C-alpha cells in the first residue's frame, strides 16, 4: 500500500486547505472545505479527482466550499454527527471511535469538543497523520466557543496521548502569535524559546509552520502542558488543578 500524498495550502486569508491523495486508487480527500476555488485549482493542477470531504466542525470557514465542490466532483461528504442537522451538508456522519476506510487506510475519528461541541479530529495511525483543525494548533489551541475549559483540556489530552512522531495538520497559520504568547506562559522552557526564534525566521520567509510534530508540541505547547509544574507556576497557580491552570492559560491568551 502506497503512502498518502498530502498537499497543504492557504485558502481564504489564513485557513489551511489540505488534500490527501492515494496514488494507487486515485482517491483524493479534502480535510474541510474552507473555499472551493483554490481547492479546485489545486486539484486541476494535479489532475486529481475529489472523492471525499472530511469535515471537522461546522464553522463557516471550514464548510463554505462543500456545496460547490460536491457539485463539481460529486464527492462524498463526511462530517460530525453532532452538526449533521444544523449544517445539512453531510452524506454520512461520524462519532467518537468510528473508523472510516480511505483507500485501505483506517481513519479514526476522535471527538475533540471545546472550540465547538461537534468538533472531531481525524487520525490515520499507519500514516502518522492527525488532522486537528481548530482543536490543536502549533503552540496553541482553538478558542473555547461552545464548550468550557475542562472540556477542551480533556480533548487536548486525547490528542496528546497519540505518538510523538504524529504529524499534526491544523486549521490555521496562527503559529507566530501563539509562540509569542507561549513564551509568557512557559518562560523558562528553553526548547520553546528556541522554537520561537525558528518560527520568527520561518514566517519572515513566508514559510508554512505546519504541519507540526506532536512530540514537539508536547514539550513546547503550553496548552498541552497545563499539568506541568512550570506552567502552573508561571500562572501563579502552583496548587491548582490542571483544568484550572488550562482555563487560566486560555483566558490569558484570549486577552493577549
Ligand atoms: Fe473554527
Amino acid at each position: 500500500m502506497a503512502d498518502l500524498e498530502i498537499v497543504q495550502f492557504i485558502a481564504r486569508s489564513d485557513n489551511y486547505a489540505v488534500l490527501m491523495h492515494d496514488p494507487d486508487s486515485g482517491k483524493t480527500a479534502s480535510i474541510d472545505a474552507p473555499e472551493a476555488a483554490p481547492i479546485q485549482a489545486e486539484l486541476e493542477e494535479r489532475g486529481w479527482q475529489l472523492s471525499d470531504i472530511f469535515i471537522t466542525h461546522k464553522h463557516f470557514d471550514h464548510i463554505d466550499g462543500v456545496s460547490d465542490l460536491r457539485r463539481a466532483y460529486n464527492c462524498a461528504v463526511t462530517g460530525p454527527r453532532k452538526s449533521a442537522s444544523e449544517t445539512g451538508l453531510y452524506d454520512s456522519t461520524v462519532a467518537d471511535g468510528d473508523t472510516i476506510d480511505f483507500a485501505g487506510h483506517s481513519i479514526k475519528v476522535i471527538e475533540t469538543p471545546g472550540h465547538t461541541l461537534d468538533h472531531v479530529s481525524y487520525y490515520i495511525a499507519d500514516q502518522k497523520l492527525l488532522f486537528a483543525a481548530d482543536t490543536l494548533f502549533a503552540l496553541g489551541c482553538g478558542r473555547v466557543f461552545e464548550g468550557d475549559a475542562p472540556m477542551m483540556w480533556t480533548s487536548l489530552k486525547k490528542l496528546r496521548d497519540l505518538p510523538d512522531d504524529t504529524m499534526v495538520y491544523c486549521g490555521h497559520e496562527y503559529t507566530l502569535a501563539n509562540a509569542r504568547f507561549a513564551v509568557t506562559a512557559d518562560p523558562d522552557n528553553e526548547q520553546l524559546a528556541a522554537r520561537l526564534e525558528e518560527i520568527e525566521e520561518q514566517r519572515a520567509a513566508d514559510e508554512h509552520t505546519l504541519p507540526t510534530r506532536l512530540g514537539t508540541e508536547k514539550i513546547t505547547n503550553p496548552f498541552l502542558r497545563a499539568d506541568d509544574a512550570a506552567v502552573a507556576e508561571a500562572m501563579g497557580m502552583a496548587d491548582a488543578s490542571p483544568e484550572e491552570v488550562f482555563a487560566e492559560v486560555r483566558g490569558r491568551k484570549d486577552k493577549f
Side-chain angles (χ1 to χ4, degrees):
M1 197 160 49
D3 281 342
L4 297 171
E5 290 174 35
I6 308 290
V7 180
Q8 173 188 255
F9 50 98
I10 295 286
R12 310 182 78 85
S13 56
D14 66 7
N15 278 76
Y16 274 118
V18 177
L19 295 173
M20 178 167 80
H21 176 75
D22 173 52
D24 289 342
S25 65
K27 285 187 87 173
T28 304
S30 181
I31 310 302
D32 287 329
E35 188 182 8
I39 294 173
Q40 212 166 336
E42 189 73 30
L43 288 162
E44 278 166 21
E45 196 183 308
R46 292 174 183 273
W48 293 353
Q49 286 288 319
L50 192 66
S51 56
D52 294 271
I53 300 175
F54 297 113
I55 296 294
T56 61
H57 68 295
K58 64 186 182 182
H59 278 162
F60 186 68
D61 61 324
H62 294 255
I63 61 173
D64 186 29
V66 168
S67 298
D68 285 349
L69 290 169
R70 183 174 8 222
R71 208 170 300 125
Y73 295 97
N74 195 29
C75 52
V77 183
T78 302
R81 193 158 305 151
K82 286 180 180 155
S83 56
S85 55
E86 193 179 335
T87 64
L89 284 174
Y90 316 144
D91 302 308
S92 55
T93 64
V94 288
D96 198 43
D98 286 353
T99 54
I100 315 160
D101 176 82
F102 179 74
H105 301 276
S106 176
I107 305 178
K108 187 179 175 194
V109 177
I110 305 172
E111 285 189 356
T112 48
H115 175 71
T116 57
L117 293 179
D118 68 325
H119 200 298
V120 300
S121 300
Y122 294 103
Y123 174 55
I124 310 178
D126 76 76
Q127 298 290 291
K128 305 181 192 302
L129 288 172
L130 174 67
F131 301 104
D134 291 1
T135 296
L136 174 64
F137 293 125
L139 293 178
C141 76
R143 270 183 190 255
V144 181
F145 287 122
E146 293 187 348
D148 57 17
M151 183 190 284
M152 189 62 153
W153 171 241
T154 300
S155 293
L156 289 169
K157 278 194 296 179
K158 285 163 98 172
L159 300 184
R160 191 179 66 174
D161 284 343
L162 300 173
D164 284 0
D165 57 359
T166 304
M167 294 310 289
V168 187
Y169 286 82
C170 311
H172 298 271
E173 176 63 61
Y174 291 161
T175 313
L176 181 55
N178 287 341
R180 287 181 173 150
F181 169 75
V183 294
T184 71
D186 198 0
D188 298 326
N189 187 329
E190 286 172 17
Q191 282 135 312
L192 172 58
R195 201 173 163 202
L196 169 60
E197 279 182 31
E198 191 185 319
I199 287 162
E200 282 174 333
E201 284 168 21
Q202 281 179 297
R203 292 308 294 151
D206 209 23
E207 288 171 18
H208 296 172
T209 62
L210 292 163
T212 178
R213 189 175 177 275
L214 188 58
T216 306
E217 294 304 317
K218 291 181 192 181
I219 55 174
T220 53
N221 185 332
F223 295 95
L224 295 182
R225 292 166 46 75
D227 51 0
D228 187 285
V231 174
E233 208 165 294
M235 294 297 112
M237 299 175 76
D239 299 321
S241 69
E243 286 78 8
E244 291 168 319
V245 173
F246 176 81
E248 179 66 21
V249 177
R250 188 57 261 178
R252 288 191 193 193
K253 174 66 170 67
D254 289 343
K255 294 184 233 99
F256 186 72

